[in-house]
Amino acid sequence: MSEERIPKRSEVNPEYTWALEDIYPSDEAWNEDFRKFQALPEKILEFKGRLGESGETLLAFMRLSDEIAVLCDSLANYAQRKSDEDTANSVYQAMVGQLMNAYVQINSAGSYETPELISIDENKLDGFYQAVPDLGLYKKNIDRIRRKKEHILSDNEEKILALAGEMSQSPENIYSMFSDADLKFPDAVDKNGKTHQVTHGSYIPLVQSSDRVLRKSAFESMYHTYDSYKNTCAATLGAQIKAVQFYAKARKYPSSLAAALDGTEVPEEVYRNLISAVHDNMHYMYDYVKLRKKLLGVDELHMYDLYTPVVSDADMKITFEEAKETVLKALAPMGTEYLSILKKGFTERWIDVYENEGKTSGAYSAGARVHPYVLLNYKNTLNCMFTLAHEMGHAIHSYLSNKNQPVAYSDYVIFVAEVASTCNEALLMQYLLKNTEDKKKKAYLINYFLEQFRTTLYRQTMFAEFELNINELTAQGETLTADRLSKMYRELNELYFGNDVVIDHEIDLEWARIPHFYYNYYVYQYATGYSAAIALSQRILSEGEPAVKDYLGFLSGGCSADPISLLKGAGVDMTSSKPVADALRLFGKLIGDMDELMK
């Protein structure tokens, strides 16, 4: 593929595009199924007021829900994947819009499901299971709905909460418009006086630059701008936290943390243990900061020095064909079943490989029932090879869950979503380190691995701790002023980075730049998922077949059990601090390896 000119979609070799014809052979076939989808609200309304009527009626409704899920999966994957091939194509934009509108109608028609299921008497429901054994398949799903009974309000109260829903999204929408659309940053200036545009997209590449003058200039451009609007940012974030608190109280949860984690069946101790375990192992981060300062050869290490590589680019150019071959070798410890699925994905066009005009940016995996679809924008870099391994981890997780679970339990929750992808990355890294003799390349790889630990495990845990703190302050009646938020954020930076870095006053405003604080206790899952993945990869490498068998069981589990139980089955207990502590010990070992290698 030429990298000089981005080709049009029509110019891309079909071999490197995904096979959407596996879902629908044509747009006409999609439209035929879409007409069936549009007729579903009527079918759903036929069951309104009848879910407690009999076991047969309830089973028929649950089977209809499965049919809807399967049909929606095909319609959504075809339309959205087609749209992502060329975002300027209005045909597929319209398809996505039509589908969303129809989906809203279906959701609205089925809004009676939760209150009706909750209202069925326990003894009566037990009678349903005895009279209609096939209904037992759906017991876990029904129990998941019914266990929230104490948090479901009266019909009128539920309607009020639903009406308030759009208002509750306002803080996030306002922040997004302000930060992504309206906010403009002054250009950064490099050591030669050349200007560089600063945007959210360009900021990280700029602070990764080897030019320290440019790094500092970009850092100041970003945070001096946020400083000018800090009171607006504080008021918006404060409104978001108040909205989260409102819903937690309205639904009778003891805290906003309890409300957020209840949705994925994760105990609060997992969140708090993560923070505690990172605190107990903060010395590794201090060692890393000290090593970074030494390797960069600076008198003072500043916050804008944390992203630039301590090892210059080792010029690792990797074609897509080479990346596939390397990933196959690296994942050999996963066994023949896993590798056969991986090869299937490589040879049967699960992957849309290269960039083309209008193609959506980034990378993802979409777990369609026919088979997963992976979007890449491959550029022959080390990072792109890791992205391939990462997304295929997601893909195989989806493939095995869809293959081994009934429709009702085939989707896995977000808490475990990053485990499979990061486990693949960890195995790839261990393979590369073991098979790389060139000292410069090896140092480059270790630096890459160390940065994953710093930015995922430590940084995301710091975010999680900040989010918990501001929620607890709000619950106590405190006001989140800009000065209060900045002071709290500075103290966390001092705790997490130690004495060998200058905590520049600009970093106090970083809280204003992070959109994740509007996602309601989302970020901790990056750190827990990373820890679990490191633990699983280490177990696979050390124990072999028994560990692989357990891991494949986890990948095949969908949501057939709660996520903590699924991970325990794979050999990782996330209710303890051990997986986090073990992962950070590996971080410590890598720091020692890097120090020795660079002598």
Side-chain angles (χ1 to χ4, degrees), residues 21-33:
E21 61 271 21
D22 292 350
I23 308 177
Y24 290 111
S26 65
D27 291 357
E28 289 72 22
W30 184 92
N31 281 313
E32 187 177 328
D33 261 3

Side-chain angles (χ1 to χ4, degrees), residues 452-560:
Q452 284 187 315
F453 275 94
R454 180 184 75 80
T455 57
T456 305
L457 228 167
Y458 282 102
R459 180 172 166 80
Q460 300 300 331
T461 302
M462 186 178 81
F463 287 171
E465 187 170 357
F466 179 74
E467 186 173 4
L468 181 62
N469 290 347
I470 60 178
N471 270 275
E472 290 181 342
L473 274 178
T474 302
Q476 294 162 15
E478 299 279 347
T479 300
L480 299 180
T481 65
D483 289 344
R484 185 71 181 272
L485 289 165
S486 296
K487 181 176 183 293
M488 289 167 57
Y489 201 80
R490 180 176 188 82
E491 289 169 352
L492 283 173
N493 273 279
E494 290 169 348
L495 171 64
Y496 276 73
F497 289 99
N499 299 323
D500 282 290
V501 62
V502 176
I503 309 296
D504 303 279
H505 69 87
E506 285 90 352
I507 205 65
D508 300 0
L509 266 298
E510 189 179 38
W511 59 265
R513 186 174 76 87
I514 307 301
H516 298 76
F517 296 141
Y518 294 82
Y519 298 173
N520 192 15
Y521 292 107
Y522 184 90
V523 291
Y524 85 99
Q525 296 169 119
Y526 292 120
T528 52
Y530 191 83
S531 301
I534 293 296
L536 289 166
S537 65
Q538 294 295 93
R539 185 176 177 230
I540 288 164
L541 290 172
S542 62
E543 297 181 25
E545 189 176 340
V548 170
K549 183 180 177 182
D550 290 344
Y551 182 64
L552 291 178
F554 159 71
L555 294 182
S556 303
C559 62
S560 59

